[in-house]
Amino acid sequence: ETGVTQSPTHLIKTRGQQVTLRCSSQSGHNTVSWYQQALGQGPQFIFQYYREEENGRGNFPPRFSGLQFPNYSSELNVNALELDDSALYLCASSRQGPSGANVLTFGAGSRLTVL
Amino acid sequence: DQQVKQNSPSLSVQEGRISILNCDYTNSMFDYFLWYKKYPAEGPTFLISISSIKDKNEDGRFTVFLNKSAKHLSLHIVPSQPGDSAVYFCAARLDFGNEKLTFGTGTRLTIIP
């Protein structure tokens, strides 16, 4: 059983640029969520995708967008990068089912630095 | 507005003793609470959870207690082992079926051999 894999692990961008982060969900998982973890903070929910549609969004501006593909892999896109976007971006997958809590399985994250 | 708070940024405990990590929340609509553990350069991994209708859940060395009236939960680890050294995040869920978790800022636990 493969876990959640994210790429790239580290990247550096400059203000105003655009970035795409990628995530492969754990096998058998049909839901993907993205979180932003700033230094010294806990992860903050960005959005969730289920069946290729956005299914919940946190308090992030529209320049944060995402995609989920038929194979349940996902992308996070951030346009017009700002210095405050520097953070660890975590992808998490789960299997949405009819009962019980859906425990998230997290990837190791992509660390973005905006200069 | 920090709805889930972990007021202790760090905690050091002797190996073999009990570690107690605390978490407070403000939103009484949270229905499920989880603890995640995070090692450096790895993603958070699920540790243990508790439904809002229960007051205790135990799994091996780990026990989570929930006090709804005080809006407080705690994670007990006994006995503590060096491999338990990590950052622990408390998280809460608002609605059944909604994957959005609200995390605290984490507590760095160091187990002293």
Side-chain angles (χ1 to χ4, degrees), chain B residues 5-52:
Chain B
K5 298 178 185 179
Q6 294 176 258
N7 292 318
S8 298
S10 63
L11 175 68
S12 293
V13 174
Q14 289 278 10
E15 180 179 359
R17 305 293 289 268
I18 184 171
S19 296
I20 300 177
L21 295 93
N22 294 304
C23 177
D24 297 296
Y25 62 96
T26 57
N27 192 336
S28 57
M29 299 303 291
F30 286 135
D31 73 335
Y32 213 84
F33 302 90
L34 306 92
W35 285 93
Y36 279 81
K37 178 168 77 171
K38 187 178 187 301
Y39 293 119
E42 295 184 13
T45 55
F46 171 72
L47 193 57
I48 192 169
S49 62
I50 187 167
S51 165
S52 60

Tab-separated table of all heavy atoms in Angstrom, chain B residues 5-52:
chain	number	residue	atom	x	y	z
B	5	LYS	N	-6.606	25.394	20.604
B	5	LYS	CA	-5.396	25.967	21.185
B	5	LYS	C	-4.590	24.923	21.931
B	5	LYS	O	-5.136	24.139	22.708
B	5	LYS	CB	-5.765	27.089	22.155
B	5	LYS	CG	-6.493	28.252	21.533
B	5	LYS	CD	-6.858	29.305	22.577
B	5	LYS	CE	-7.697	30.409	21.955
B	5	LYS	NZ	-8.095	31.429	22.943
B	6	GLN	N	-3.307	24.956	21.695
B	6	GLN	CA	-2.377	24.160	22.488
B	6	GLN	C	-1.427	25.159	23.124
B	6	GLN	O	-0.573	25.722	22.447
B	6	GLN	CB	-1.633	23.152	21.611
B	6	GLN	CG	-2.550	22.082	21.034
B	6	GLN	CD	-1.825	21.145	20.088
B	6	GLN	OE1	-1.936	21.252	18.877
B	6	GLN	NE2	-1.080	20.203	20.653
B	7	ASN	N	-1.606	25.401	24.391
B	7	ASN	CA	-0.919	26.508	25.044
B	7	ASN	C	0.516	26.202	25.439
B	7	ASN	O	1.261	27.118	25.799
B	7	ASN	CB	-1.715	26.960	26.268
B	7	ASN	CG	-3.029	27.606	25.863
B	7	ASN	OD1	-3.082	28.372	24.917
B	7	ASN	ND2	-4.092	27.276	26.568
B	8	SER	N	0.899	24.930	25.388
B	8	SER	CA	2.277	24.581	25.731
B	8	SER	C	3.041	24.284	24.455
B	8	SER	O	2.820	23.244	23.834
B	8	SER	CB	2.313	23.355	26.648
B	8	SER	OG	1.665	23.622	27.856
B	9	PRO	N	3.956	25.161	24.055
B	9	PRO	CA	4.708	24.906	22.827
B	9	PRO	C	5.656	23.715	22.965
B	9	PRO	O	5.981	23.067	21.975
B	9	PRO	CB	5.516	26.179	22.595
B	9	PRO	CG	5.034	27.162	23.585
B	9	PRO	CD	4.285	26.449	24.643
B	10	SER	N	6.093	23.435	24.188
B	10	SER	CA	7.035	22.344	24.370
B	10	SER	C	6.839	21.686	25.728
B	10	SER	O	6.300	22.288	26.665
B	10	SER	CB	8.477	22.848	24.236
B	10	SER	OG	8.763	23.779	25.239
B	11	LEU	N	7.301	20.431	25.803
B	11	LEU	CA	7.160	19.642	27.026
B	11	LEU	C	8.286	18.620	27.059
B	11	LEU	O	8.551	17.961	26.042
B	11	LEU	CB	5.806	18.925	27.035
B	11	LEU	CG	5.510	17.960	28.169
B	11	LEU	CD1	5.363	18.732	29.485
B	11	LEU	CD2	4.241	17.172	27.890
B	12	SER	N	8.953	18.502	28.192
B	12	SER	CA	10.015	17.502	28.356
B	12	SER	C	9.627	16.542	29.468
B	12	SER	O	9.190	16.982	30.540
B	12	SER	CB	11.345	18.176	28.708
B	12	SER	OG	11.810	18.950	27.634
B	13	VAL	N	9.783	15.251	29.193
B	13	VAL	CA	9.366	14.221	30.145
B	13	VAL	C	10.442	13.129	30.205
B	13	VAL	O	11.021	12.766	29.172
B	13	VAL	CB	8.012	13.610	29.712
B	13	VAL	CG1	7.621	12.440	30.602
B	13	VAL	CG2	6.930	14.672	29.717
B	14	GLN	N	10.667	12.625	31.376
B	14	GLN	CA	11.617	11.524	31.530
B	14	GLN	C	11.048	10.237	30.928
B	14	GLN	O	9.846	9.960	31.043
B	14	GLN	CB	11.913	11.283	33.017
B	14	GLN	CG	12.740	12.356	33.680
B	14	GLN	CD	14.229	12.180	33.430
B	14	GLN	OE1	14.626	11.369	32.616
B	14	GLN	NE2	15.051	12.936	34.120
B	15	GLU	N	11.915	9.464	30.328
B	15	GLU	CA	11.512	8.166	29.778
B	15	GLU	C	10.869	7.321	30.885
B	15	GLU	O	11.350	7.289	32.020
B	15	GLU	CB	12.732	7.440	29.217
B	15	GLU	CG	12.428	6.090	28.613
B	15	GLU	CD	13.662	5.415	28.044
B	15	GLU	OE1	14.767	6.021	28.103
B	15	GLU	OE2	13.548	4.287	27.542
B	16	GLY	N	9.756	6.679	30.537
B	16	GLY	CA	9.061	5.821	31.495
B	16	GLY	C	7.971	6.528	32.279
B	16	GLY	O	7.092	5.867	32.839
B	17	ARG	N	8.016	7.868	32.313
B	17	ARG	CA	6.996	8.626	33.041
B	17	ARG	C	5.808	8.902	32.112
B	17	ARG	O	5.820	8.560	30.934
B	17	ARG	CB	7.585	9.942	33.555
B	17	ARG	CG	8.838	9.774	34.404
B	17	ARG	CD	8.557	9.082	35.722
B	17	ARG	NE	7.809	9.894	36.655
B	17	ARG	CZ	8.359	10.675	37.578
B	17	ARG	NH1	9.670	10.784	37.671
B	17	ARG	NH2	7.591	11.356	38.406
B	18	ILE	N	4.806	9.559	32.651
B	18	ILE	CA	3.621	9.895	31.865
B	18	ILE	C	3.796	11.247	31.184
B	18	ILE	O	4.290	12.198	31.785
B	18	ILE	CB	2.353	9.890	32.744
B	18	ILE	CG1	1.103	10.140	31.908
B	18	ILE	CG2	2.460	10.902	33.874
B	18	ILE	CD1	-0.207	9.936	32.668
B	19	SER	N	3.414	11.315	29.922
B	19	SER	CA	3.365	12.586	29.201
B	19	SER	C	1.900	12.984	29.076
B	19	SER	O	1.063	12.156	28.691
B	19	SER	CB	3.958	12.454	27.801
B	19	SER	OG	5.323	12.127	27.836
B	20	ILE	N	1.617	14.236	29.391
B	20	ILE	CA	0.243	14.747	29.270
B	20	ILE	C	0.268	15.987	28.395
B	20	ILE	O	0.896	16.991	28.735
B	20	ILE	CB	-0.362	15.082	30.643
B	20	ILE	CG1	-0.392	13.824	31.522
B	20	ILE	CG2	-1.781	15.648	30.465
B	20	ILE	CD1	-0.899	14.069	32.931
B	21	LEU	N	-0.408	15.896	27.260
B	21	LEU	CA	-0.495	17.025	26.338
B	21	LEU	C	-1.923	17.549	26.357
B	21	LEU	O	-2.877	16.769	26.305
B	21	LEU	CB	-0.093	16.610	24.929
B	21	LEU	CG	1.376	16.192	24.759
B	21	LEU	CD1	1.532	14.695	24.932
B	21	LEU	CD2	1.898	16.618	23.403
B	22	ASN	N	-2.050	18.851	26.416
B	22	ASN	CA	-3.361	19.463	26.575
B	22	ASN	C	-3.797	20.262	25.355
B	22	ASN	O	-2.967	20.771	24.589
B	22	ASN	CB	-3.353	20.392	27.794
B	22	ASN	CG	-3.176	19.627	29.082
B	22	ASN	OD1	-3.947	18.724	29.384
B	22	ASN	ND2	-2.157	19.972	29.846
B	23	CYS	N	-5.108	20.379	25.227
B	23	CYS	CA	-5.691	21.070	24.082
B	23	CYS	C	-7.029	21.679	24.523
B	23	CYS	O	-7.827	21.002	25.200
B	23	CYS	CB	-5.892	20.075	22.943
B	23	CYS	SG	-6.680	20.733	21.462
B	24	ASP	N	-7.268	22.914	24.174
B	24	ASP	CA	-8.539	23.571	24.471
B	24	ASP	C	-9.201	24.013	23.172
B	24	ASP	O	-8.512	24.334	22.203
B	24	ASP	CB	-8.312	24.800	25.356
B	24	ASP	CG	-7.739	24.431	26.710
B	24	ASP	OD1	-8.442	23.725	27.457
B	24	ASP	OD2	-6.589	24.825	26.998
B	25	TYR	N	-10.514	24.030	23.157
B	25	TYR	CA	-11.218	24.472	21.961
B	25	TYR	C	-12.356	25.402	22.350
B	25	TYR	O	-12.803	25.418	23.508
B	25	TYR	CB	-11.727	23.281	21.143
B	25	TYR	CG	-12.722	22.388	21.848
B	25	TYR	CD1	-14.093	22.563	21.673
B	25	TYR	CD2	-12.295	21.358	22.683
B	25	TYR	CE1	-15.007	21.750	22.307
B	25	TYR	CE2	-13.205	20.533	23.318
B	25	TYR	CZ	-14.555	20.728	23.125
B	25	TYR	OH	-15.460	19.923	23.774
B	26	THR	N	-12.801	26.178	21.385
B	26	THR	CA	-13.848	27.166	21.691
B	26	THR	C	-15.177	26.842	21.024
B	26	THR	O	-16.220	27.281	21.501
B	26	THR	CB	-13.391	28.566	21.249
B	26	THR	OG1	-13.075	28.536	19.850
B	26	THR	CG2	-12.176	29.023	22.029
B	27	ASN	N	-15.153	26.066	19.941
B	27	ASN	CA	-16.381	25.823	19.193
B	27	ASN	C	-17.083	24.562	19.710
B	27	ASN	O	-16.588	23.452	19.520
B	27	ASN	CB	-16.044	25.676	17.699
B	27	ASN	CG	-17.272	25.704	16.811
B	27	ASN	OD1	-18.378	25.391	17.262
B	27	ASN	ND2	-17.081	26.071	15.563
B	28	SER	N	-18.227	24.723	20.322
B	28	SER	CA	-18.941	23.581	20.906
B	28	SER	C	-19.569	22.681	19.830
B	28	SER	O	-20.108	21.622	20.137
B	28	SER	CB	-20.036	24.083	21.852
B	28	SER	OG	-20.926	24.941	21.162
B	29	MET	N	-19.506	23.093	18.564
B	29	MET	CA	-20.063	22.283	17.481
B	29	MET	C	-19.085	21.232	16.959
B	29	MET	O	-19.459	20.406	16.128
B	29	MET	CB	-20.501	23.189	16.325
B	29	MET	CG	-21.585	24.184	16.700
B	29	MET	SD	-23.057	23.380	17.346
B	29	MET	CE	-23.650	22.566	15.867
B	30	PHE	N	-17.855	21.263	17.410
B	30	PHE	CA	-16.908	20.221	16.995
B	30	PHE	C	-17.451	18.863	17.439
B	30	PHE	O	-17.880	18.706	18.589
B	30	PHE	CB	-15.530	20.445	17.607
B	30	PHE	CG	-14.752	21.567	17.010
B	30	PHE	CD1	-14.072	22.471	17.813
B	30	PHE	CD2	-14.655	21.726	15.633
B	30	PHE	CE1	-13.323	23.510	17.276
B	30	PHE	CE2	-13.918	22.763	15.075
B	30	PHE	CZ	-13.255	23.650	15.903
B	31	ASP	N	-17.430	17.873	16.519
B	31	ASP	CA	-18.009	16.577	16.874
B	31	ASP	C	-16.980	15.460	16.972
B	31	ASP	O	-17.311	14.336	17.352
B	31	ASP	CB	-19.107	16.198	15.868
B	31	ASP	CG	-18.528	15.776	14.515
B	31	ASP	OD1	-17.402	16.196	14.187
B	31	ASP	OD2	-19.213	15.038	13.792
B	32	TYR	N	-15.762	15.747	16.588
B	32	TYR	CA	-14.741	14.698	16.597
B	32	TYR	C	-13.391	15.350	16.799
B	32	TYR	O	-13.133	16.425	16.242
B	32	TYR	CB	-14.775	13.954	15.251
B	32	TYR	CG	-14.431	12.492	15.345
B	32	TYR	CD1	-15.412	11.565	15.679
B	32	TYR	CD2	-13.140	12.041	15.107
B	32	TYR	CE1	-15.115	10.227	15.779
B	32	TYR	CE2	-12.843	10.699	15.197
B	32	TYR	CZ	-13.827	9.791	15.533
B	32	TYR	OH	-13.528	8.460	15.625
B	33	PHE	N	-12.542	14.692	17.599
B	33	PHE	CA	-11.233	15.240	17.910
B	33	PHE	C	-10.165	14.194	17.626
B	33	PHE	O	-10.370	12.998	17.861
B	33	PHE	CB	-11.174	15.661	19.390
B	33	PHE	CG	-12.221	16.674	19.749
B	33	PHE	CD1	-13.469	16.258	20.190
B	33	PHE	CD2	-11.970	18.032	19.631
B	33	PHE	CE1	-14.454	17.181	20.509
B	33	PHE	CE2	-12.948	18.958	19.941
B	33	PHE	CZ	-14.189	18.539	20.376
B	34	LEU	N	-9.042	14.658	17.120
B	34	LEU	CA	-7.970	13.746	16.729
B	34	LEU	C	-6.638	14.287	17.219
B	34	LEU	O	-6.454	15.499	17.368
B	34	LEU	CB	-7.908	13.600	15.200
B	34	LEU	CG	-9.200	13.201	14.477
B	34	LEU	CD1	-9.979	14.444	14.025
B	34	LEU	CD2	-8.877	12.338	13.259
B	35	TRP	N	-5.713	13.387	17.430
B	35	TRP	CA	-4.324	13.752	17.708
B	35	TRP	C	-3.458	13.198	16.583
B	35	TRP	O	-3.595	12.034	16.183
B	35	TRP	CB	-3.862	13.175	19.047
B	35	TRP	CG	-4.401	13.901	20.229
B	35	TRP	CD1	-5.530	13.608	20.936
B	35	TRP	CD2	-3.832	15.055	20.872
B	35	TRP	NE1	-5.701	14.499	21.965
B	35	TRP	CE2	-4.675	15.394	21.946
B	35	TRP	CE3	-2.684	15.830	20.646
B	35	TRP	CZ2	-4.418	16.477	22.803
B	35	TRP	CZ3	-2.434	16.899	21.487
B	35	TRP	CH2	-3.286	17.213	22.557
B	36	TYR	N	-2.579	14.054	16.097
B	36	TYR	CA	-1.604	13.675	15.090
B	36	TYR	C	-0.213	13.899	15.655
B	36	TYR	O	0.025	14.827	16.431
B	36	TYR	CB	-1.769	14.504	13.812
B	36	TYR	CG	-2.866	14.034	12.896
B	36	TYR	CD1	-4.191	14.387	13.133
B	36	TYR	CD2	-2.587	13.239	11.790
B	36	TYR	CE1	-5.208	13.943	12.280
B	36	TYR	CE2	-3.593	12.806	10.943
B	36	TYR	CZ	-4.892	13.158	11.195
B	36	TYR	OH	-5.889	12.728	10.362
B	37	LYS	N	0.719	13.068	15.209
B	37	LYS	CA	2.113	13.178	15.613
B	37	LYS	C	2.935	13.488	14.368
B	37	LYS	O	2.675	12.929	13.295
B	37	LYS	CB	2.556	11.839	16.231
B	37	LYS	CG	3.992	11.787	16.656
B	37	LYS	CD	4.267	10.553	17.501
B	37	LYS	CE	4.378	9.307	16.694
B	37	LYS	NZ	4.855	8.161	17.532
B	38	LYS	N	3.919	14.363	14.514
B	38	LYS	CA	4.718	14.737	13.351
B	38	LYS	C	6.207	14.686	13.695
B	38	LYS	O	6.664	15.376	14.601
B	38	LYS	CB	4.339	16.132	12.865
B	38	LYS	CG	5.018	16.507	11.533
B	38	LYS	CD	4.573	17.873	11.072
B	38	LYS	CE	5.114	18.183	9.677
B	38	LYS	NZ	6.573	18.143	9.581
B	39	TYR	N	6.924	13.871	12.920
B	39	TYR	CA	8.380	13.851	12.989
B	39	TYR	C	8.921	14.828	11.945
B	39	TYR	O	8.248	15.131	10.947
B	39	TYR	CB	8.919	12.455	12.693
B	39	TYR	CG	8.585	11.407	13.724
B	39	TYR	CD1	7.838	10.277	13.381
B	39	TYR	CD2	9.034	11.517	15.041
B	39	TYR	CE1	7.546	9.289	14.312
B	39	TYR	CE2	8.732	10.548	15.980
B	39	TYR	CZ	7.993	9.436	15.607
B	39	TYR	OH	7.695	8.466	16.534
B	40	PRO	N	10.147	15.343	12.146
B	40	PRO	CA	10.754	16.239	11.148
B	40	PRO	C	10.794	15.590	9.766
B	40	PRO	O	11.060	14.402	9.643
B	40	PRO	CB	12.162	16.462	11.706
B	40	PRO	CG	12.049	16.202	13.160
B	40	PRO	CD	11.020	15.131	13.311
B	41	ALA	N	10.510	16.385	8.749
B	41	ALA	CA	10.576	15.945	7.347
B	41	ALA	C	9.558	14.864	7.003
B	41	ALA	O	9.685	14.205	5.964
B	41	ALA	CB	11.983	15.475	6.976
B	42	GLU	N	8.568	14.684	7.858
B	42	GLU	CA	7.489	13.751	7.550
B	42	GLU	C	6.157	14.458	7.718
B	42	GLU	O	6.059	15.477	8.410
B	42	GLU	CB	7.538	12.528	8.477
B	42	GLU	CG	8.762	11.665	8.298
B	42	GLU	CD	8.703	10.420	9.176
B	42	GLU	OE1	7.615	10.112	9.715
B	42	GLU	OE2	9.747	9.772	9.325
B	43	GLY	N	5.113	13.900	7.087
B	43	GLY	CA	3.795	14.456	7.303
B	43	GLY	C	3.229	14.014	8.634
B	43	GLY	O	3.694	13.049	9.232
B	44	PRO	N	2.204	14.712	9.126
B	44	PRO	CA	1.556	14.282	10.376
B	44	PRO	C	0.957	12.889	10.210
B	44	PRO	O	0.421	12.562	9.150
B	44	PRO	CB	0.448	15.329	10.571
B	44	PRO	CG	0.858	16.506	9.745
B	44	PRO	CD	1.605	15.945	8.580
B	45	THR	N	1.064	12.072	11.234
B	45	THR	CA	0.460	10.740	11.213
B	45	THR	C	-0.588	10.642	12.316
B	45	THR	O	-0.390	11.131	13.435
B	45	THR	CB	1.504	9.630	11.395
B	45	THR	OG1	2.233	9.876	12.604
B	45	THR	CG2	2.469	9.576	10.243
B	46	PHE	N	-1.687	10.011	11.984
B	46	PHE	CA	-2.800	9.866	12.912
B	46	PHE	C	-2.392	9.002	14.103
B	46	PHE	O	-1.737	7.967	13.947
B	46	PHE	CB	-3.988	9.241	12.188
B	46	PHE	CG	-5.115	8.839	13.101
B	46	PHE	CD1	-5.913	9.808	13.684
B	46	PHE	CD2	-5.338	7.511	13.383
B	46	PHE	CE1	-6.943	9.441	14.535
B	46	PHE	CE2	-6.373	7.134	14.224
B	46	PHE	CZ	-7.172	8.098	14.797
B	47	LEU	N	-2.805	9.457	15.292
B	47	LEU	CA	-2.448	8.733	16.505
B	47	LEU	C	-3.678	8.120	17.171
B	47	LEU	O	-3.782	6.922	17.357
B	47	LEU	CB	-1.755	9.703	17.459
B	47	LEU	CG	-1.023	9.156	18.661
B	47	LEU	CD1	0.036	8.161	18.254
B	47	LEU	CD2	-0.397	10.314	19.444
B	48	ILE	N	-4.636	8.953	17.512
B	48	ILE	CA	-5.814	8.488	18.225
B	48	ILE	C	-6.902	9.540	18.090
B	48	ILE	O	-6.605	10.716	17.851
B	48	ILE	CB	-5.478	8.220	19.720
B	48	ILE	CG1	-6.615	7.462	20.422
B	48	ILE	CG2	-5.141	9.521	20.453
B	48	ILE	CD1	-6.222	6.953	21.813
B	49	SER	N	-8.162	9.121	18.221
B	49	SER	CA	-9.269	10.065	18.092
B	49	SER	C	-10.335	9.781	19.137
B	49	SER	O	-10.309	8.742	19.808
B	49	SER	CB	-9.879	9.976	16.687
B	49	SER	OG	-10.412	8.674	16.466
B	50	ILE	N	-11.276	10.718	19.245
B	50	ILE	CA	-12.383	10.536	20.171
B	50	ILE	C	-13.603	11.278	19.642
B	50	ILE	O	-13.493	12.407	19.150
B	50	ILE	CB	-12.015	10.991	21.598
B	50	ILE	CG1	-13.137	10.626	22.582
B	50	ILE	CG2	-11.712	12.493	21.651
B	50	ILE	CD1	-12.727	10.759	24.036
B	51	SER	N	-14.733	10.627	19.721
B	51	SER	CA	-15.989	11.259	19.347
B	51	SER	C	-16.464	12.149	20.490
B	51	SER	O	-16.178	11.880	21.660
B	51	SER	CB	-17.038	10.183	19.054
B	51	SER	OG	-18.324	10.732	19.013
B	52	SER	N	-17.236	13.171	20.136
B	52	SER	CA	-17.722	14.093	21.163
B	52	SER	C	-18.729	13.448	22.109
B	52	SER	O	-19.063	14.013	23.143
B	52	SER	CB	-18.354	15.323	20.506
B	52	SER	OG	-19.431	14.945	19.688
